[in-house]
mmCIF file of all heavy atoms in Angstrom:
data_model
loop_
_atom_site.group_PDB
_atom_site.id
_atom_site.type_symbol
_atom_site.label_atom_id
_atom_site.label_comp_id
_atom_site.label_asym_id
_atom_site.label_seq_id
_atom_site.Cartn_x
_atom_site.Cartn_y
_atom_site.Cartn_z
ATOM 1 N N TRP G 259 190.468 -70.687 -80.855
ATOM 2 C CA TRP G 259 189.472 -70.526 -79.777
ATOM 3 C C TRP G 259 188.053 -70.845 -80.241
ATOM 4 O O TRP G 259 187.084 -70.765 -79.467
ATOM 5 C CB TRP G 259 189.513 -69.074 -79.261
ATOM 6 C CG TRP G 259 189.547 -68.033 -80.349
ATOM 7 C CD1 TRP G 259 190.646 -67.473 -80.902
ATOM 8 C CD2 TRP G 259 188.424 -67.451 -81.037
ATOM 9 N NE1 TRP G 259 190.320 -66.572 -81.883
ATOM 10 C CE2 TRP G 259 188.942 -66.521 -81.975
ATOM 11 C CE3 TRP G 259 187.041 -67.593 -80.925
ATOM 12 C CZ2 TRP G 259 188.133 -65.772 -82.820
ATOM 13 C CZ3 TRP G 259 186.229 -66.832 -81.749
ATOM 14 C CH2 TRP G 259 186.769 -65.948 -82.664
ATOM 15 N N LEU G 260 187.896 -71.259 -81.507
ATOM 16 C CA LEU G 260 186.586 -71.579 -82.051
ATOM 17 C C LEU G 260 186.539 -73.073 -82.396
ATOM 18 O O LEU G 260 187.406 -73.558 -83.123
ATOM 19 C CB LEU G 260 186.287 -70.736 -83.293
ATOM 20 C CG LEU G 260 184.840 -70.691 -83.779
ATOM 21 C CD1 LEU G 260 183.919 -70.148 -82.688
ATOM 22 C CD2 LEU G 260 184.739 -69.819 -85.034
ATOM 23 N N ASN G 261 185.568 -73.790 -81.849
ATOM 24 C CA ASN G 261 185.477 -75.231 -82.024
ATOM 25 C C ASN G 261 184.715 -75.565 -83.294
ATOM 26 O O ASN G 261 183.499 -75.403 -83.374
ATOM 27 C CB ASN G 261 184.795 -75.866 -80.813
ATOM 28 C CG ASN G 261 184.774 -77.372 -80.881
ATOM 29 O OD1 ASN G 261 185.349 -77.969 -81.779
ATOM 30 N ND2 ASN G 261 184.125 -78.001 -79.904
ATOM 31 N N GLU G 262 185.444 -76.034 -84.322
ATOM 32 C CA GLU G 262 184.795 -76.350 -85.600
ATOM 33 C C GLU G 262 183.803 -77.501 -85.483
ATOM 34 O O GLU G 262 182.799 -77.550 -86.164
ATOM 35 C CB GLU G 262 185.848 -76.692 -86.648
ATOM 36 C CG GLU G 262 185.272 -76.993 -88.012
ATOM 37 C CD GLU G 262 186.336 -77.301 -89.044
ATOM 38 O OE1 GLU G 262 187.538 -77.301 -88.690
ATOM 39 O OE2 GLU G 262 185.983 -77.543 -90.221
ATOM 40 N N LYS G 263 184.072 -78.449 -84.579
ATOM 41 C CA LYS G 263 183.205 -79.619 -84.418
ATOM 42 C C LYS G 263 181.875 -79.265 -83.740
ATOM 43 O O LYS G 263 180.920 -80.029 -83.831
ATOM 44 C CB LYS G 263 183.924 -80.678 -83.597
ATOM 45 C CG LYS G 263 185.156 -81.268 -84.314
ATOM 46 C CD LYS G 263 185.817 -82.352 -83.483
ATOM 47 C CE LYS G 263 187.007 -82.940 -84.207
ATOM 48 N NZ LYS G 263 187.663 -84.006 -83.404
ATOM 49 N N ASP G 264 181.836 -78.138 -83.060
ATOM 50 C CA ASP G 264 180.601 -77.698 -82.398
ATOM 51 C C ASP G 264 179.862 -76.745 -83.324
ATOM 52 O O ASP G 264 180.037 -75.534 -83.288
ATOM 53 C CB ASP G 264 180.930 -77.014 -81.069
ATOM 54 C CG ASP G 264 179.692 -76.750 -80.227
ATOM 55 O OD1 ASP G 264 178.580 -76.818 -80.776
ATOM 56 O OD2 ASP G 264 179.829 -76.495 -79.026
ATOM 57 N N GLY G 265 179.051 -77.332 -84.204
ATOM 58 C CA GLY G 265 178.351 -76.508 -85.201
ATOM 59 C C GLY G 265 177.452 -75.445 -84.594
ATOM 60 O O GLY G 265 177.312 -74.349 -85.141
ATOM 61 N N GLU G 266 176.833 -75.770 -83.459
ATOM 62 C CA GLU G 266 175.955 -74.789 -82.821
ATOM 63 C C GLU G 266 176.756 -73.591 -82.323
ATOM 64 O O GLU G 266 176.270 -72.451 -82.408
ATOM 65 C CB GLU G 266 175.200 -75.447 -81.657
ATOM 66 C CG GLU G 266 174.185 -74.506 -81.024
ATOM 67 C CD GLU G 266 173.418 -75.167 -79.893
ATOM 68 O OE1 GLU G 266 173.661 -76.336 -79.611
ATOM 69 O OE2 GLU G 266 172.577 -74.462 -79.260
ATOM 70 N N GLU G 267 177.975 -73.868 -81.814
ATOM 71 C CA GLU G 267 178.781 -72.759 -81.281
ATOM 72 C C GLU G 267 179.191 -71.804 -82.380
ATOM 73 O O GLU G 267 179.037 -70.583 -82.239
ATOM 74 C CB GLU G 267 180.005 -73.319 -80.575
ATOM 75 C CG GLU G 267 180.891 -72.217 -80.013
ATOM 76 C CD GLU G 267 182.124 -72.763 -79.282
ATOM 77 O OE1 GLU G 267 181.979 -73.125 -78.099
ATOM 78 O OE2 GLU G 267 183.213 -72.840 -79.903
ATOM 79 N N TRP G 268 179.762 -72.320 -83.473
ATOM 80 C CA TRP G 268 180.255 -71.375 -84.480
ATOM 81 C C TRP G 268 179.101 -70.735 -85.301
ATOM 82 O O TRP G 268 179.239 -69.641 -85.811
ATOM 83 C CB TRP G 268 181.334 -71.959 -85.372
ATOM 84 C CG TRP G 268 181.028 -73.213 -86.147
ATOM 85 C CD1 TRP G 268 181.397 -74.483 -85.818
ATOM 86 C CD2 TRP G 268 180.339 -73.293 -87.399
ATOM 87 N NE1 TRP G 268 180.979 -75.359 -86.793
ATOM 88 C CE2 TRP G 268 180.336 -74.663 -87.787
ATOM 89 C CE3 TRP G 268 179.762 -72.365 -88.252
ATOM 90 C CZ2 TRP G 268 179.755 -75.116 -88.975
ATOM 91 C CZ3 TRP G 268 179.168 -72.811 -89.429
ATOM 92 C CH2 TRP G 268 179.164 -74.168 -89.775
ATOM 93 N N ALA G 269 177.961 -71.419 -85.369
ATOM 94 C CA ALA G 269 176.799 -70.793 -86.002
ATOM 95 C C ALA G 269 176.323 -69.638 -85.112
ATOM 96 O O ALA G 269 175.944 -68.562 -85.601
ATOM 97 C CB ALA G 269 175.682 -71.804 -86.192
ATOM 98 N N TRP G 270 176.370 -69.864 -83.798
ATOM 99 C CA TRP G 270 176.017 -68.813 -82.846
ATOM 100 C C TRP G 270 176.983 -67.659 -82.965
ATOM 101 O O TRP G 270 176.600 -66.488 -82.904
ATOM 102 C CB TRP G 270 176.009 -69.382 -81.425
ATOM 103 C CG TRP G 270 175.726 -68.387 -80.363
ATOM 104 C CD1 TRP G 270 174.512 -68.025 -79.866
ATOM 105 C CD2 TRP G 270 176.685 -67.619 -79.626
ATOM 106 N NE1 TRP G 270 174.645 -67.089 -78.872
ATOM 107 C CE2 TRP G 270 175.968 -66.801 -78.716
ATOM 108 C CE3 TRP G 270 178.065 -67.503 -79.658
ATOM 109 C CZ2 TRP G 270 176.599 -65.905 -77.850
ATOM 110 C CZ3 TRP G 270 178.711 -66.617 -78.801
ATOM 111 C CH2 TRP G 270 177.957 -65.826 -77.901
ATOM 112 N N ALA G 271 178.281 -67.964 -83.151
ATOM 113 C CA ALA G 271 179.330 -66.940 -83.271
ATOM 114 C C ALA G 271 179.076 -66.107 -84.522
ATOM 115 O O ALA G 271 179.229 -64.873 -84.500
ATOM 116 C CB ALA G 271 180.694 -67.594 -83.316
ATOM 117 N N ALA G 272 178.679 -66.748 -85.628
ATOM 118 C CA ALA G 272 178.414 -66.017 -86.873
ATOM 119 C C ALA G 272 177.230 -65.059 -86.681
ATOM 120 O O ALA G 272 177.291 -63.897 -87.113
ATOM 121 C CB ALA G 272 178.111 -67.017 -87.994
ATOM 122 N N ALA G 291 177.880 -67.432 -93.417
ATOM 123 C CA ALA G 291 178.883 -67.733 -92.395
ATOM 124 C C ALA G 291 178.341 -68.645 -91.299
ATOM 125 O O ALA G 291 179.095 -69.383 -90.668
ATOM 126 C CB ALA G 291 179.399 -66.426 -91.770
ATOM 127 N N ASP G 292 177.027 -68.614 -91.062
ATOM 128 C CA ASP G 292 176.456 -69.459 -90.012
ATOM 129 C C ASP G 292 176.236 -70.885 -90.469
ATOM 130 O O ASP G 292 175.801 -71.750 -89.700
ATOM 131 C CB ASP G 292 175.157 -68.865 -89.482
ATOM 132 C CG ASP G 292 174.087 -68.751 -90.547
ATOM 133 O OD1 ASP G 292 174.448 -68.804 -91.741
ATOM 134 O OD2 ASP G 292 172.905 -68.609 -90.201
ATOM 135 N N THR G 293 176.460 -71.174 -91.771
ATOM 136 C CA THR G 293 176.307 -72.530 -92.272
ATOM 137 C C THR G 293 177.594 -73.074 -92.878
ATOM 138 O O THR G 293 177.664 -74.251 -93.249
ATOM 139 C CB THR G 293 175.205 -72.556 -93.373
ATOM 140 O OG1 THR G 293 175.582 -71.678 -94.434
ATOM 141 C CG2 THR G 293 173.863 -72.134 -92.779
ATOM 142 N N ASP G 294 178.639 -72.226 -92.992
ATOM 143 C CA ASP G 294 179.890 -72.653 -93.606
ATOM 144 C C ASP G 294 181.053 -72.182 -92.706
ATOM 145 O O ASP G 294 181.318 -70.984 -92.611
ATOM 146 C CB ASP G 294 180.029 -72.056 -95.007
ATOM 147 C CG ASP G 294 181.216 -72.619 -95.780
ATOM 148 O OD1 ASP G 294 182.211 -72.992 -95.123
ATOM 149 O OD2 ASP G 294 181.161 -72.653 -97.013
ATOM 150 N N PHE G 295 181.718 -73.110 -92.059
ATOM 151 C CA PHE G 295 182.768 -72.744 -91.108
ATOM 152 C C PHE G 295 183.931 -72.013 -91.801
ATOM 153 O O PHE G 295 184.475 -71.078 -91.226
ATOM 154 C CB PHE G 295 183.286 -73.993 -90.410
ATOM 155 C CG PHE G 295 184.294 -73.718 -89.328
ATOM 156 C CD1 PHE G 295 183.884 -73.227 -88.106
ATOM 157 C CD2 PHE G 295 185.659 -73.918 -89.555
ATOM 158 C CE1 PHE G 295 184.811 -72.963 -87.098
ATOM 159 C CE2 PHE G 295 186.589 -73.664 -88.564
ATOM 160 C CZ PHE G 295 186.155 -73.184 -87.332
ATOM 161 N N LEU G 298 183.137 -68.462 -92.252
ATOM 162 C CA LEU G 298 183.208 -67.746 -90.961
ATOM 163 C C LEU G 298 184.649 -67.414 -90.619
ATOM 164 O O LEU G 298 184.935 -66.275 -90.168
ATOM 165 C CB LEU G 298 182.580 -68.608 -89.846
ATOM 166 C CG LEU G 298 182.691 -68.057 -88.434
ATOM 167 C CD1 LEU G 298 182.005 -66.695 -88.304
ATOM 168 C CD2 LEU G 298 182.090 -69.038 -87.424
ATOM 169 N N ILE G 322 181.878 -66.157 -76.089
ATOM 170 C CA ILE G 322 181.929 -67.606 -76.260
ATOM 171 C C ILE G 322 182.343 -68.295 -74.956
ATOM 172 O O ILE G 322 181.780 -69.314 -74.565
ATOM 173 C CB ILE G 322 182.904 -67.980 -77.396
ATOM 174 C CG1 ILE G 322 182.279 -67.623 -78.752
ATOM 175 C CG2 ILE G 322 183.257 -69.458 -77.360
ATOM 176 C CD1 ILE G 322 183.169 -67.935 -79.942
ATOM 177 N N ARG G 325 179.423 -68.197 -72.680
ATOM 178 C CA ARG G 325 178.424 -69.171 -73.149
ATOM 179 C C ARG G 325 178.793 -70.583 -72.774
ATOM 180 O O ARG G 325 177.956 -71.371 -72.300
ATOM 181 C CB ARG G 325 178.268 -69.051 -74.673
ATOM 182 C CG ARG G 325 177.210 -69.980 -75.264
ATOM 183 C CD ARG G 325 177.080 -69.696 -76.766
ATOM 184 N NE ARG G 325 176.016 -70.500 -77.352
ATOM 185 C CZ ARG G 325 176.194 -71.734 -77.820
ATOM 186 N NH1 ARG G 325 177.412 -72.278 -77.772
ATOM 187 N NH2 ARG G 325 175.174 -72.408 -78.331
ATOM 188 N N ARG G 326 180.039 -70.944 -72.980
ATOM 189 C CA ARG G 326 180.503 -72.292 -72.604
ATOM 190 C C ARG G 326 180.360 -72.515 -71.115
ATOM 191 O O ARG G 326 179.969 -73.626 -70.681
ATOM 192 C CB ARG G 326 181.970 -72.469 -73.026
ATOM 193 C CG ARG G 326 182.170 -72.591 -74.518
ATOM 194 C CD ARG G 326 183.646 -72.619 -74.863
ATOM 195 N NE ARG G 326 183.868 -72.728 -76.315
ATOM 196 C CZ ARG G 326 185.078 -72.653 -76.856
ATOM 197 N NH1 ARG G 326 186.147 -72.434 -76.117
ATOM 198 N NH2 ARG G 326 185.199 -72.779 -78.170
ATOM 199 N N TYR G 327 180.644 -71.485 -70.322
ATOM 200 C CA TYR G 327 180.537 -71.604 -68.871
ATOM 201 C C TYR G 327 179.080 -71.825 -68.465
ATOM 202 O O TYR G 327 178.764 -72.675 -67.640
ATOM 203 C CB TYR G 327 181.088 -70.343 -68.210
ATOM 204 C CG TYR G 327 180.919 -70.332 -66.696
ATOM 205 C CD1 TYR G 327 181.761 -71.078 -65.883
ATOM 206 C CD2 TYR G 327 179.899 -69.583 -66.089
ATOM 207 C CE1 TYR G 327 181.599 -71.079 -64.507
ATOM 208 C CE2 TYR G 327 179.733 -69.588 -64.737
ATOM 209 C CZ TYR G 327 180.588 -70.334 -63.945
ATOM 210 O OH TYR G 327 180.417 -70.330 -62.578
ATOM 211 N N LEU G 329 176.673 -73.055 -70.256
ATOM 212 C CA LEU G 329 176.214 -74.385 -70.687
ATOM 213 C C LEU G 329 176.732 -75.479 -69.775
ATOM 214 O O LEU G 329 176.024 -76.423 -69.432
ATOM 215 C CB LEU G 329 176.657 -74.631 -72.148
ATOM 216 C CG LEU G 329 175.979 -73.784 -73.211
ATOM 217 C CD1 LEU G 329 176.580 -74.091 -74.575
ATOM 218 C CD2 LEU G 329 174.482 -74.042 -73.223
ATOM 219 N N SER G 330 177.994 -75.372 -69.356
ATOM 220 C CA SER G 330 178.584 -76.383 -68.469
ATOM 221 C C SER G 330 177.946 -76.352 -67.087
ATOM 222 O O SER G 330 177.703 -77.371 -66.472
ATOM 223 C CB SER G 330 180.092 -76.194 -68.363
ATOM 224 O OG SER G 330 180.395 -74.947 -67.734
ATOM 225 N N LYS G 334 174.046 -78.585 -69.588
ATOM 226 C CA LYS G 334 173.545 -78.658 -70.946
ATOM 227 C C LYS G 334 174.619 -79.180 -71.878
ATOM 228 O O LYS G 334 175.815 -79.155 -71.568
ATOM 229 C CB LYS G 334 173.094 -77.272 -71.422
ATOM 230 C CG LYS G 334 171.955 -76.697 -70.596
ATOM 231 C CD LYS G 334 171.545 -75.339 -71.105
ATOM 232 C CE LYS G 334 170.407 -74.760 -70.285
ATOM 233 N NZ LYS G 334 170.005 -73.414 -70.755
ATOM 234 N N LYS G 335 174.164 -79.684 -73.048
ATOM 235 C CA LYS G 335 175.085 -80.204 -74.027
ATOM 236 C C LYS G 335 174.731 -79.602 -75.375
ATOM 237 O O LYS G 335 173.563 -79.539 -75.769
ATOM 238 C CB LYS G 335 174.945 -81.734 -74.114
ATOM 239 C CG LYS G 335 175.924 -82.376 -75.061
ATOM 240 C CD LYS G 335 175.770 -83.893 -75.038
ATOM 241 C CE LYS G 335 176.754 -84.543 -75.995
ATOM 242 N NZ LYS G 335 176.618 -86.032 -75.994
ATOM 243 N N THR G 336 175.741 -79.138 -76.072
ATOM 244 C CA THR G 336 175.504 -78.518 -77.358
ATOM 245 C C THR G 336 175.143 -79.579 -78.402
ATOM 246 O O THR G 336 175.574 -80.718 -78.311
ATOM 247 C CB THR G 336 176.742 -77.760 -77.842
ATOM 248 O OG1 THR G 336 177.847 -78.674 -77.928
ATOM 249 C CG2 THR G 336 177.106 -76.647 -76.899
ATOM 250 N N CYS G 337 174.323 -79.182 -79.370
ATOM 251 C CA CYS G 337 173.964 -80.087 -80.445
ATOM 252 C C CYS G 337 173.843 -79.288 -81.723
ATOM 253 O O CYS G 337 173.628 -78.076 -81.713
ATOM 254 C CB CYS G 337 172.646 -80.799 -80.153
ATOM 255 S SG CYS G 337 171.242 -79.693 -79.899
ATOM 256 N N SER G 338 174.000 -79.979 -82.825
ATOM 257 C CA SER G 338 173.979 -79.298 -84.116
ATOM 258 C C SER G 338 172.936 -79.947 -85.011
ATOM 259 O O SER G 338 172.862 -81.171 -85.137
ATOM 260 C CB SER G 338 175.357 -79.409 -84.791
ATOM 261 O OG SER G 338 175.322 -78.846 -86.073
ATOM 262 N N PHE G 339 172.074 -79.136 -85.618
ATOM 263 C CA PHE G 339 171.088 -79.640 -86.582
ATOM 264 C C PHE G 339 170.789 -78.552 -87.584
ATOM 265 O O PHE G 339 170.978 -77.356 -87.316
ATOM 266 C CB PHE G 339 169.802 -80.098 -85.847
ATOM 267 C CG PHE G 339 169.224 -79.065 -84.954
ATOM 268 C CD1 PHE G 339 168.321 -78.116 -85.417
ATOM 269 C CD2 PHE G 339 169.552 -79.044 -83.591
ATOM 270 C CE1 PHE G 339 167.781 -77.163 -84.582
ATOM 271 C CE2 PHE G 339 169.004 -78.100 -82.754
ATOM 272 C CZ PHE G 339 168.115 -77.152 -83.230
#
Side-chain angles (χ1 to χ4, degrees):
W259 46 268
L260 195 59
N261 185 4
E262 181 178 2
K263 295 181 179 180
D264 190 344
E266 184 179 359
E267 179 179 278
W268 57 259
W270 178 89
D292 61 342
T293 59
D294 188 332
F295 185 76
L298 174 60
I322 287 179
R325 182 175 183 272
R326 289 174 180 174
Y327 176 78
L329 291 176
S330 64
K334 298 180 180 180
K335 183 178 180 180
T336 59
C337 59
S338 176
F339 52 87

